[in-house]
Amino acid sequence: RSRATGFWSGDTQTASGGLVEERSSAETLALERGGKTAECVGAFPVEGSPTPLDVPGGGWTRRGARVDADLGAGAITLGVIGDIKQADDDTLRNLGHFVGEFKKAGITALLVAGDVAETSAGIRDSLEVLANVEVPVLVIPGNRESYGRYRGAMAAAAKEHGNLVDMAQIRLVDAGRFSVVSLPGYYDPRYVHAKDGCLYRPEHVAALPAIAAQGSGTPKILLAHSPPKAKGKGSIDYADAGANVG
């Protein structure tokens, strides 16, 4: 049931162009009254002294919402997984299988693109299985999670597994040979399931280039559950059907 899985290794193509659809002030006010939250999209302060992260192999330090990672000179392979959705026995068994495949492939880090699960216990169960990959695991919430449940489960699991990195609050990982910029949540409130679900706004999308510019590593990788709804054929969300799908 985990639909989005795979590997990235080597160079990537970049997508650019297109204008992000804007939301009116009336729409924003209605969303705030409805309980959807943008709190899950962390600000980007880079302040204070660097703090080492307890990740396998070391070399990862955090300063505010930025992490710098020293990955050495070996090959870089990233694992990607998303849309886990529910942490029942079958799904957790599937996750365990994927973790085994990622370990065989010798991935450098694992990117988890949201929809980890819906309940607090389910989110924690999924994270604990994924942490067994024994490399840094970069995680964002998607459109299913309650942000309160996600935040609590992530904090609890990270106490036991130092390789879990909450990319809702850490917005940039600069690994020298690549950078990961995060955009937690979803743009369309109609598909944000929980009352306190994670909703990103046009201003969060507009801030991404400035955050990405702070990373020295190339390519720049956007970790998002879904790209923002944009306009034009040059946009990252332009699909084969001839429309921008978000």
Side-chain angles (χ1 to χ4, degrees):
R1 292 181 183 150
S2 299
R3 295 186 297 163
T5 60
F7 301 92
W8 171 89
S9 182
D11 295 333
T12 64
Q13 295 181 336
T14 58
S16 62
L19 299 174
V20 175
E21 286 193 347
E22 297 184 355
R23 188 180 295 137
S24 71
S25 57
E27 287 176 310
T28 299
L29 181 60
L31 299 177
E32 290 173 345
R33 287 175 176 171
K36 312 302 182 185
T37 180
E39 178 189 356
C40 58
V41 187
F44 189 62
V46 180
E47 55 192 19
S49 300
T51 302
L53 296 182
D54 185 22
V55 300
W60 286 53
T61 57
R62 177 179 180 178
R63 188 169 176 231
R66 174 192 179 109
V67 166
D68 290 280
D70 181 2
L71 300 178
I76 298 291
T77 302
L78 301 179
V80 183
I81 191 165
D83 282 3
I84 299 165
K85 297 190 183 298
Q86 58 186 26
D88 58 21
D89 290 344
D90 289 341
T91 299
L92 293 175
R93 188 161 43 248
N94 288 341
L95 285 183
H97 169 77
F98 291 131
V99 164
E101 292 300 308
F102 287 139
K103 292 175 78 170
K104 288 179 185 177
I107 64 172
T108 308
L110 176 60
L111 309 185
V112 183
D115 279 9
V116 179
E118 293 193 72
T119 67
S120 296
I123 295 169
R124 183 165 181 177
D125 287 347
S126 294
L127 292 175
E128 288 183 341
V129 172
L130 293 171
N132 290 329
V133 75
E134 297 178 350
V135 297
V137 181
L138 282 53
V139 188
I140 58 168
N143 65 304
R144 279 184 177 260
E145 296 92 340
S146 149
Y147 184 55
R149 292 173 182 170
Y150 168 86
R151 183 172 53 188
M154 170 61 79
K159 287 181 179 179
E160 303 295 328
H161 305 280
N163 58 330
L164 291 173
V165 180
D166 183 5
M167 294 295 288
Q169 299 303 309
I170 294 175
R171 302 298 310 286
L172 171 67
V173 172
D174 185 356
R177 286 180 286 159
F178 68 90
S179 299
V180 179
V181 180
S182 69
L183 183 62
Y186 199 68
Y187 77 96
D188 190 337
R190 296 173 297 175
Y191 300 102
V192 176
H193 289 215
K195 184 177 180 180
D196 65 335
C198 183
L199 183 73
Y200 67 73
R201 298 175 177 166
E203 58 264 32
H204 297 131
V205 178
L208 289 174
I211 297 174
Q214 297 300 309
S216 63
T218 301
K220 308 293 176 74
I221 300 168
L222 177 63
L223 175 57
H225 185 62
S226 173
K229 183 71 176 293
K231 300 177 181 178
K233 293 184 178 180
S235 300
I236 195 171
D237 70 327
Y238 190 78
D240 292 339
N244 296 94
V245 296

